[in-house]
């Protein structure tokens, strides 16, 4: 390989795949610099050479590191050597940007090489027109399989499933199956179990490969297959399917249509992505961030966050009106204005703690009858105990700060009330949203902090007004 | 089966396993009531009969639904029929409670039946003395394997690994391996790939079962094995191992000791648990909740939450002192006290948004050089844009509310400043914690809200004081 560039020192990072990532697992800056140099110089063969050893996930990581123009340049430099499954590993905004920049014919060629589930993943977020153009450019069999998957609802098991699987009749022997596997060219890329089906493709049993391998050639399949197995409905939500996987420690599960016919399989790698997405969604929704990635544009980010901030502005103004009711009280005793945020802030934090535990328990389906009652009882007691602890602490601090034990008593009383309110609504708000079929992660935080703010200010200013006769 | 109990109406839920879960996937209350009745009456055979069809994860769910005494009663009623792997599916507090109530000899009998990784999982949280007693009661081979796993650090790959795996020499043929698998009795319960090792157990290659199955009997193993494969070090943190799994869509990976010797394997079901734990931890830490489960006792819950609330009390008092600096200003214009929480609250929310995105990006290792710079730039711009949007909104609302456009300008200015501060520190705080090798999820929220509170109050009251000449 000729090397007439002014490249950084060090070993030949391009051919030594160990140098692709540094000790901490980050992509090596030296490696990336070399790739950029090749891209800029249009040296397509060298680009192909340094990219060749990379796993498609690593290619995805490289794409995320590059700038918008470099990404498209990389895909085009690689041409037919670009594995489109790398696009399943990048953030949605980057994926759409690259796919919009490529001619639909190129996408169709790349998609044709993919497993059905990866192809659906790439196509599902495209504009209807682009999608149709790409589908039309595919071979009939692939097109029909993809169309069927795309007909299932978004985020359903049917969307995520792989439509290649190995189905065998129950009356075959182990030997027949092995011979079939050795002969058949068109097998799925990866499979972990065989599906034993009748003529109507109804599943009679499953046979994990490890069990299958231990059986003698003459053994009949129906003598060794598992007759107790899980199946997932194609219309089912992917989160439900993920829970089934986790509950039964599965690596692969069959997907059936309404008539019970085996139409595809879900494998654990898809489910790991779902589990991640789901947890990520909960975290972001709790903080009032939409379905956002670090690679989103500024405009998308503003669009995602403004609605939550508008809601917060509305509730903050509402809370401010509550404080306004006590304007005359504050006017007579400025210390109240100085102290009031403490009560509200403690309530807000205690409420967030209870709420988070409740939201997670709901998400993991941990709140059946008995456990729910125990949780409610516990949170009430925790509210009272924490209320008393912090009432005493803040009471003492306040009494010392202002040399006024009565002010200490007032803030302590308000604290107990607000901590109990925080525990109560920290659990009731997400529970009510869940009963109303809303996602408790979305709006719980806004409701709970508004309640603890209002009650915090109201209790403190109200008790103070009564105690000191300021009304 | 005789049925002299006053049981709830409906089909015979005990023998019909479909009735174990209702339509929504919850354990059927009728089923549970029957189990409780059998337990109370000491009808061990009936208990065993209704429990028999359940998967060990379902047994875990049942245990979580029962009261403390019922749990132990159930385990004892089942006796040798109790599969201890059910205990890997319950919350830590419940697991410890059950294991403390059982004689160590019973636990040893149960643990001896388990896979090595499940056994380690049960033993690792026990008191040293109980653990030693149980280990001493185990057969020598199991004891040594467990001790070796327990010697690896907590939450390491070595702790989570399964020590049963299939290692074969590279010069065997496919036929020889199949014959070996058919003959050998002591194989792992589940396996997805074969490990090709040299005499020193150094891994030469891996062979997924699906690939192995497609090869002819006469094929030599080293002709078809994968020579490019991932391995995990036993000392490595389980989260690192989880990232390797996700990055390369693995279902199983070999674990090697310092000398590169294959000592175990990690399978995807363990990793799914790790992924879940990790996301769960982030969510809870962000909300100031420790490693807490819904089944924790009240005392444990209070213990987990009080430290965070103490920190918050401390910062809230600090913020209150900042407000105190402006006591004279507020005294001259009570409207300031009424309006000031709005600025602080908006800053707190905007800061939480930026912080959450940053914490998650750090957790997923998405912030390499280029992406980090882009994120910082984006958040600055978002802070300015949102600052201007909400400055105008709150400025108008305030001007109308008080009929005083100057007050509107003052609150608007404070809002712009605080939103920019929120964006800046929302990203800098988690980043700094990460650089200092602290978990950014733990303390970010406290720092960020304290900063936005202090700046919010300070900017608003300070600008107002200067503008209206109140100092």
């Amino acid at each position: 390989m000729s090397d007439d560039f002014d490249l950084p020192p060090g070993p030949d990072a391009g051919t030594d795949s160990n140098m692709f990532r540094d000790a901490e697992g980050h992509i090596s800056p030296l490696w990336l610099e070399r790739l950029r140099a090749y891209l800029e110089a249009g040296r397509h063969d060298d680009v192909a050479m340094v990219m060749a050893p990379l796993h498609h996930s690593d290619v995805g990581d490289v794409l995320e590191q590059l700038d918008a123009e470099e990404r498209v340049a990389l895909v085009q430099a690689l041409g037919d050597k670009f594995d489109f499954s790398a696009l399943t590993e990048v953030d949605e905004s980057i994926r759409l940007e690259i796919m919009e920049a490529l001619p639909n014919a190129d996408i169709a060629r790349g998609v044709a090489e993919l497993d059905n589930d990866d192809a659906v993943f790439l196509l599902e977020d495209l504009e209807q027109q682009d999608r149709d153009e790409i589908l039309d450019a595919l071979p009939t069999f692939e097109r029909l399989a993809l169309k069927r998957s795309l007909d299932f609802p978004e985020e359903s098991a049917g969307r995520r499933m792989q439509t290649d699987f190995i189905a065998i009749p129950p009356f075959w022997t182990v030997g027949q199956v092995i011979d079939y596997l050795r002969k058949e060219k068109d097998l799925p890329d990866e499979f972990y179990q065989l599906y034993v089906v009748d003529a109507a493709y109804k599943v009679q049993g499953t046979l994990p490969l490890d069990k299958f391998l231990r059986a003698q050639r003459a053994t009949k399949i129906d003598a060794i297959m598992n007759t107790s197995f899980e199946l997932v409905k194609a219309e089912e939500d992917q989160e439900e399917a993920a829970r089934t996987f986790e509950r039964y420690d599965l690596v692969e599960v069959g997907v059936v249509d309404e008539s019970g016919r085996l139409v595809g399989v879900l494998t654990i790698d898809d489910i790991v992505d779902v589990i991640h997405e789901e947890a990520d969604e909960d975290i972001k929704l709790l903080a009032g961030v939409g379905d956002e990635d670090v690679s989103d544009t500024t405009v998308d980010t503003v669009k995602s966050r403004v609605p939550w901030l508008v809601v917060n502005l509305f509730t903050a103004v509402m809370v401010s009106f509550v404080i306004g009711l006590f304007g005359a009280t504050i006017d007579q005793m400025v210390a109240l204005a100085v102290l009031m945020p403490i009560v509200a802030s403690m309530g807000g934090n205690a409420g967030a703690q209870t709420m988070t535990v409740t939201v997670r328990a709901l998400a993991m389906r941990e709140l059946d009858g008995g456990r729910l009652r125990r949780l409610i009882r516990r949170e009430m007691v925790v509210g009272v105990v924490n209320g008393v602890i912090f009432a005493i602490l803040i009471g003492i601090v306040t009494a010392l700060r202002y040399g006024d034990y009565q002010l200490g008593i007032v803030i302590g009383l308000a604290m107990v009330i607000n901590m109990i309110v925080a525990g109560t609504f920290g659990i009731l708000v997400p529970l009510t949203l869940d009963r109303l079929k809303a996602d408790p992660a979305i709006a719980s935080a806004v409701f709970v902090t508004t309640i603890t703010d209002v009650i915090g200010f109201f209790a403190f200013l109200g008790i103070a007004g009564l105690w000191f006769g300021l009304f």
Side-chain angles (χ1 to χ4, degrees), chain A:
Chain A
M1 151 193 154
S2 79
D3 218 342
D4 45 3
F5 278 100
D6 192 9
L7 283 170
D12 184 350
T15 54
D16 180 0
S17 73
N18 290 331
M19 285 306 298
F20 168 63
R21 287 191 186 276
D22 64 20
E24 289 185 10
H26 294 299
I27 294 178
S28 145
L30 291 183
W31 187 96
L32 206 60
E33 229 173 288
R34 159 165 290 190
L35 174 67
R36 286 200 156 107
Y38 288 155
L39 278 176
E40 211 178 322
R43 288 171 55 171
H44 290 184
D45 288 347
D46 290 327
V47 170
M49 189 200 60
V50 295
M51 295 296 293
L54 304 195
H55 185 275
H56 69 258
S57 323
D58 293 328
V59 177
D61 272 1
V62 171
L63 285 173
E64 294 208 329
Q65 294 275 317
L66 297 175
D67 296 329
E69 317 81 65
E70 293 172 333
R71 284 174 198 142
V72 178
L74 175 61
V75 174
Q76 289 178 329
L78 290 175
D80 282 352
K81 296 192 198 94
F82 178 71
D83 178 354
F84 272 67
S85 51
L87 291 182
T88 64
E89 309 282 340
V90 302
D91 285 346
E92 186 182 346
S93 57
I94 296 181
R95 179 164 58 247
L96 289 177
E97 174 204 297
I98 295 176
M99 292 182 71
E100 271 160 27
L102 293 177
N104 283 338
D106 287 2
I107 299 179
R109 229 183 358 258
V111 162
E113 303 288 314
L114 295 181
D115 280 350
N116 175 279
D117 51 346
D118 288 340
V120 168
F121 190 76
L122 293 192
L123 295 180
E124 63 184 356
D125 294 323
L126 291 185
E127 306 275 340
Q128 182 70 41
Q129 201 197 327
D130 286 329
R131 192 155 87 186
D132 290 343
E133 268 185 52
I134 295 167
L135 283 172
D136 285 342
L138 291 174
T140 314
F141 184 78
E142 272 82 6
R143 182 170 67 241
L144 291 179
L146 285 178
K147 277 197 168 157
R148 187 161 68 161
S149 291
L150 285 165
D151 277 345
F152 289 112
E154 263 188 71
E155 313 217 318
S156 67
R159 276 283 179 101
R160 284 267 176 278
M161 73 186 179
Q162 164 62 33
T163 50
D164 271 355
F165 51 82
I166 299 178
I168 49 174
F171 49 81
W172 276 17
T173 63
V174 169
Q176 275 177 292
V177 176
I178 291 186
D179 293 342
Y180 163 76
L181 294 176
R182 286 184 181 153
K183 203 179 57 203
E184 178 67 36
K185 289 282 160 289
D186 199 23
L187 292 177
D189 279 354
E190 281 168 348
F191 55 95
Y192 309 105
Q193 63 182 8
L194 311 172
Y195 295 84
V196 187
V197 296
D198 63 15
Y201 265 70
K202 284 226 169 44
V203 183
Q204 310 290 303
T206 59
L207 191 48
L209 296 189
D210 53 0
K211 192 171 178 189
F212 172 68
L213 267 172
R214 278 178 266 188
Q216 303 294 332
R217 272 190 79 88
T219 314
K220 287 280 272 308
I221 293 299
D222 57 7
I224 51 167
M225 69 186 188
N226 293 339
T227 50
S228 157
F229 50 86
E230 299 295 321
L231 290 174
V232 161
K233 295 203 188 72
E235 298 79 24
E236 200 167 281
D237 192 272
Q238 58 179 12
E239 293 187 14
E240 283 303 325
R243 264 188 284 273
T244 303
F245 261 82
E246 282 184 85
R247 182 177 287 151
Y248 300 110
D249 289 345
L250 306 177
V251 281
E252 187 177 320
V253 74
V255 180
V256 292
D257 65 12
E258 328 66 285
S259 64
R261 199 182 133 85
L262 184 67
V263 289
V265 297
L266 279 174
T267 49
I268 184 74
D269 52 318
D270 305 315
I271 293 301
V272 165
D273 294 340
V274 172
I275 293 172
H276 238 138
E277 274 169 36
E278 194 186 345
D280 214 47
E281 208 179 84
D282 267 9
I283 296 181
K284 288 181 176 159
L285 288 177
L286 278 170
V289 180
D291 184 15
E292 211 182 85
D293 293 314
V294 274
S295 60
D296 282 0
T297 62
T298 307
V299 174
D300 286 339
T301 310
V302 170
K303 272 194 208 153
S304 138
R305 296 193 195 165
V306 162
W308 305 95
L309 292 174
V310 168
V311 172
N312 185 61
L313 182 67
F314 183 80
T315 62
V317 168
M318 211 174 78
V319 170
S320 154
F321 272 98
V322 171
I323 302 173
L325 298 177
F326 297 92
T329 319
I330 295 173
D331 208 9
Q332 296 171 65
M333 198 168 177
V334 172
L336 299 183
V338 173
L339 292 171
M340 66 184 187
I342 299 178
V343 180
S345 158
M346 290 298 286
N349 272 275
Q353 291 179 331
T354 305
M355 178 194 74
T356 304
V357 172
T358 310
V359 166
R360 283 307 288 168
L362 286 169
M364 322 263 284
R365 298 290 156 96
E366 293 186 336
L367 290 186
D368 298 345
R371 274 186 285 192
L372 179 59
R373 274 193 302 278
R374 279 200 296 268
L375 179 65
I376 294 178
R377 204 164 48 218
R378 185 189 77 179
E379 293 298 327
M380 299 291 100
V381 178
V382 169
V384 173
V385 172
N386 280 346
V388 171
I389 293 175
F390 290 96
I392 295 173
L393 281 177
I394 192 62
I396 293 173
V397 170
T398 304
L400 293 175
R401 179 172 171 191
Y402 287 93
D404 179 349
Y405 78 92
Q406 295 196 63
L407 199 52
I409 294 177
V410 168
I411 197 172
L413 285 177
M415 186 72 87
V416 174
I417 292 173
N418 209 22
M419 295 296 264
I420 297 175
V421 165
T424 313
F425 286 92
I427 199 163
L428 286 187
V429 167
L431 216 59
T432 308
L433 288 170
D434 187 59
R435 290 279 149 90
L436 297 174
K437 306 285 177 208
D439 184 342
I442 296 188
S444 289
V446 174
F447 282 120
V448 173
T449 51
T450 305
I451 292 168
T452 53
D453 274 359
V454 167
I455 302 290
F457 291 128
F458 198 91
F460 179 57
L461 296 173
I463 294 174
L466 291 173
W467 189 284
F468 297 109
L470 302 177
F471 291 137

